[in-house]
Amino acid sequence: MPIHDVFYLSSLVTGVTAPILGRPVVLTQHVDLIRHPSRVVEAAQRTVFRTYGRFLFSISARILVLNDRVQEFVAEGGAASERIEFLQNGVDVEAYRPALKGEAAQQRIALGLPLDRVLVLFAGRPVPKKGFDLLADCAGPEFDLVFVGGEQRPMEIGRNGGRSYFLGSVPRVRMREIYRAADVFCLPSLGEGFPLTVQEAMASGLPVITTDDEAYRRYQVPPEAICFVRRDQVELEGALNRLAHDAALRVQIGQRAREYVLSHFSWETHAQRLVQIYREVQMDHEAGSRRYGLFSSRRRSRKQNAAAERTKQARPKSPSLGHEAKWVRWRLRVAGWVRKLRPI
């Protein structure tokens, strides 16, 4: 049974249910502990990870991570190293592609966005770790901001002037169209590594500005394919203004980004490996050759053996040698009944 990150109530429900149903668990852990301005939120994170987070790590047959930092975090949480695997996301490069001639203008008209402005796109939940508030404070005369995600327009958007557009929550399938309407993608997030939105934006041929997070190191993205900045308003504003003023630079970085995605984030390779992982886990589970935390295949085997023994004892005993004659007569009598009932 799949689990997406431990920091959700649904993950706990699945983690408790899976062993009862006798199903192995495959956990995908995206993040480690995230720094947050609220001490209450940070305390809640630590409590979750130290309690049922460790429980989910212990029962997972395989734990998939996206970067080295999360891998270390999961290992510190008690997961055995042989059950941890690095698996980067894949991108559908046919769905997420650069805009064709005239397509960007069509999408802007459909979305109610201006045709003559440089548009900087943000996509994600309006929470501090995503950096939407930091980007909102960078609003200026050189570009307009477009925010996607969340049900209600956050108060931080537009508080410092500048023109900003809030599209709210949109269906996933529409994101490919929104990428094609934008000129730049910006995600000054914290502690996410290589999120899927960044990969999709790069596949769409957009220059991406994102936080210079150590989790990107494993991917070895060339500097000409992405703009890494410190999580600082002054540095972020500088990068935004530089791209807003230089259309040729935007095209150049966008092309390099697309090339990198084509060579590193194959959708087919990711899907094949993911299917293979689930098959391996299922085979291990059925063979009883691997322990799954608190609920081991060895314990299941003991239960199965006990049940088989009870069934064996409950079966009627074979006739003894002293009653062989009676047993033969009974079989012949049954055979006679069968012959009478058999149609001609």
Side-chain angles (χ1 to χ4, degrees):
M1 298 180 71
I3 292 181
H4 174 80
D5 213 290
V6 301
F7 200 72
Y8 296 100
L9 182 59
S10 58
S11 301
L12 176 60
V13 173
T14 303
V16 172
T17 306
I20 297 174
L21 298 177
R23 305 285 180 83
V25 171
V26 176
L27 166 65
T28 301
Q29 185 63 31
H30 290 268
V31 298
D32 58 342
L33 286 173
I34 303 299
R35 288 177 298 180
H36 196 279
S38 171
R39 293 184 179 180
V40 175
V41 174
E42 287 195 348
Q45 287 187 79
R46 292 191 180 92
T47 300
V48 167
F49 284 122
R50 289 173 181 173
T51 54
Y52 75 76
R54 286 179 175 270
F55 165 72
L56 293 177
F57 290 159
S58 71
I59 68 167
S60 297
R62 199 71 59 88
I63 302 176
L64 309 180
V65 298
L66 302 177
N67 55 65
D68 294 336
R69 189 176 60 205
V70 176
Q71 183 170 343
E72 294 176 2
F73 170 74
V74 171
E76 292 173 357
S81 58
E82 67 269 14
R83 292 190 289 117
I84 306 173
E85 179 169 340
F86 171 77
L87 181 67
Q88 60 192 26
N89 283 321
V91 180
D92 186 348
V93 294
E94 294 183 0
Y96 295 95
R97 55 167 178 78
L100 303 176
K101 185 177 181 180
E103 192 174 9
Q106 294 176 359
Q107 299 299 338
R108 291 191 181 199
I109 293 173
L111 295 168
L113 300 174
L115 298 175
D116 57 346
R117 296 283 293 170
V118 174
L119 298 183
V120 177
L121 174 65
F122 170 93
R125 292 177 294 122
V127 294
K129 81 166 188 175
K130 294 287 187 179
F132 85 99
D133 50 347
L134 179 61
L135 178 59
D137 290 339
C138 293
E142 306 300 330
F143 52 85
D144 292 354
L145 298 176
V146 180
F147 292 87
V148 176
E151 299 297 334
Q152 296 182 343
R153 182 186 179 101
M155 296 176 57
E156 292 85 350
I157 297 178
R159 65 185 176 186
N160 286 354
R163 289 198 292 182
S164 299
Y165 301 87
F166 179 69
L167 302 184
S169 179
V170 301
R172 188 73 187 173
V173 69
R174 290 204 60 199
M175 279 305 303
R176 63 191 70 176
E177 302 167 357
I178 297 175
Y179 285 125
R180 293 171 198 155
D183 297 295
V184 179
F185 182 81
C186 184
L187 186 72
S189 58
L190 181 66
E192 287 198 298
F194 215 135
L196 190 58
T197 52
V198 170
Q199 294 174 264
E200 292 171 349
M202 294 175 68
S204 301
L206 293 180
V208 172
I209 301 174
T210 190
T211 309
D212 188 9
D213 194 306
E214 63 180 12
Y216 283 100
R217 301 291 186 270
R218 183 165 189 164
Y219 292 88
Q220 298 181 342
V221 187
E224 60 270 16
I226 196 169
C227 297
F228 288 124
V229 298
R230 291 185 297 112
R231 208 165 187 264
D232 174 79
Q233 183 175 342
V234 174
E235 188 166 338
L236 182 57
E237 286 179 350
L240 289 167
N241 288 324
R242 185 168 62 253
L243 287 178
H245 281 108
D246 195 337
L249 181 60
R250 294 199 300 269
V251 172
Q252 178 183 341
I253 296 177
Q255 289 176 345
R256 297 293 182 273
R258 171 79 176 176
E259 292 171 0
Y260 179 83
V261 169
L262 291 175
S263 61
H264 289 79
F265 298 137
S266 166
W267 182 266
E268 291 78 12
T269 301
H270 171 82
Q272 289 172 4
R273 180 53 190 151
L274 190 60
V275 170
Q276 184 180 3
I277 289 172
Y278 276 96
R279 286 176 176 169
E280 291 173 357
V281 169
Q282 185 62 30
M283 289 175 62
D284 288 342
H285 177 73
E286 292 175 352
S289 61
R290 187 183 298 273
R291 294 191 60 183
Y292 299 111
L294 302 177
F295 298 85
S296 66
S297 57
R298 187 177 302 173
R299 175 180 292 184
R300 286 194 297 273
S301 297
R302 287 200 299 268
K303 289 184 177 180
Q304 291 172 353
N305 292 337
E309 185 64 26
R310 289 194 298 270
T311 302
K312 182 179 179 179
Q313 294 175 358
R315 290 174 182 169
K317 295 182 179 180
S318 300
S320 62
L321 185 61
H323 297 85
E324 184 176 354
K326 292 182 179 179
W327 178 247
V328 171
R329 284 198 298 270
W330 172 252
R331 290 179 60 184
L332 292 174
R333 186 180 300 174
V334 172
W337 292 341
V338 171
R339 282 195 296 271
K340 290 179 181 180
L341 294 174
R342 183 179 300 168
I344 298 174

